[in-house]
Amino acid sequence: QVQLVESGGGSVEAGGSLTLSCAASGDTDRIYCMGWFRQAPGKEREGVARINIGGGDPYYIDSVKGRSTISHDSAENTLYLRMTSLKPEDTAMYYCAAEPVAAMCSMDRDISKYNYWGQGTRVTVSS
């Protein structure tokens, strides 16, 4: 089992920045990839970014590309999402997810379908 705990959400004005953190514990050696997805009120879940723990290019959805950076600190078993130039449309609950199966980590796979989730951290961006 893997446990994930997010932190770092908050309320910011448009144009501001936040860094979300996700601390992983448990069977972290099993994790192949990790990612962030979000869900805004009344909207479907949306994968935001993913990264393979072993390396390789990270993936971002177009709406956050150039404004966000996903990274993983193996020593701390912590995933980060640095978001800058935040927009009101970035307002959502952000969830960290982890997946042990390599096939589930391909680009066409839904991050919200990963095996392990955290409880989420809320991001609110005001205009």
Side-chain angles (χ1 to χ4, degrees):
Q1 292 292 319
V2 173
Q3 294 79 41
L4 303 172
V5 179
E6 301 97 331
S7 61
S11 297
V12 298
E13 293 185 351
S17 302
L18 282 173
T19 298
L20 308 184
S21 301
C22 172
S25 60
D27 295 331
T28 56
D29 288 346
R30 300 180 59 214
I31 298 174
Y32 190 89
C33 66
M34 298 184 74
W36 294 91
F37 68 92
R38 64 188 179 186
Q39 188 165 23
K43 295 189 177 181
E44 294 186 355
R45 294 173 192 147
E46 176 182 50
V48 177
R50 67 157 58 90
I51 189 168
N52 286 350
I53 301 306
D57 293 333
Y59 160 83
Y60 302 94
I61 55 170
D62 287 344
S63 60
V64 306
K65 200 174 293 184
R67 301 190 293 121
S68 298
T69 303
I70 188 171
S71 61
H72 181 260
D73 184 330
S74 296
E76 298 292 331
N77 281 320
T78 300
L79 181 74
Y80 299 97
L81 182 67
R82 173 70 174 168
M83 298 189 295
T84 63
S85 302
L86 283 161
K87 305 175 181 180
E89 50 264 43
D90 293 316
T91 295
M93 184 73 85
Y94 283 72
Y95 297 88
C96 170
E99 176 57 49
V101 178
M104 286 293 294
C105 297
S106 60
M107 292 301 182
D108 60 341
R109 295 290 186 167
D110 186 345
I111 299 169
S112 70
K113 298 291 195 294
Y114 286 5
N115 206 4
Y116 303 105
W117 291 13
Q119 82 289 350
T121 186
R122 188 173 300 279
V123 172
T124 303
V125 184
S126 58
S127 57

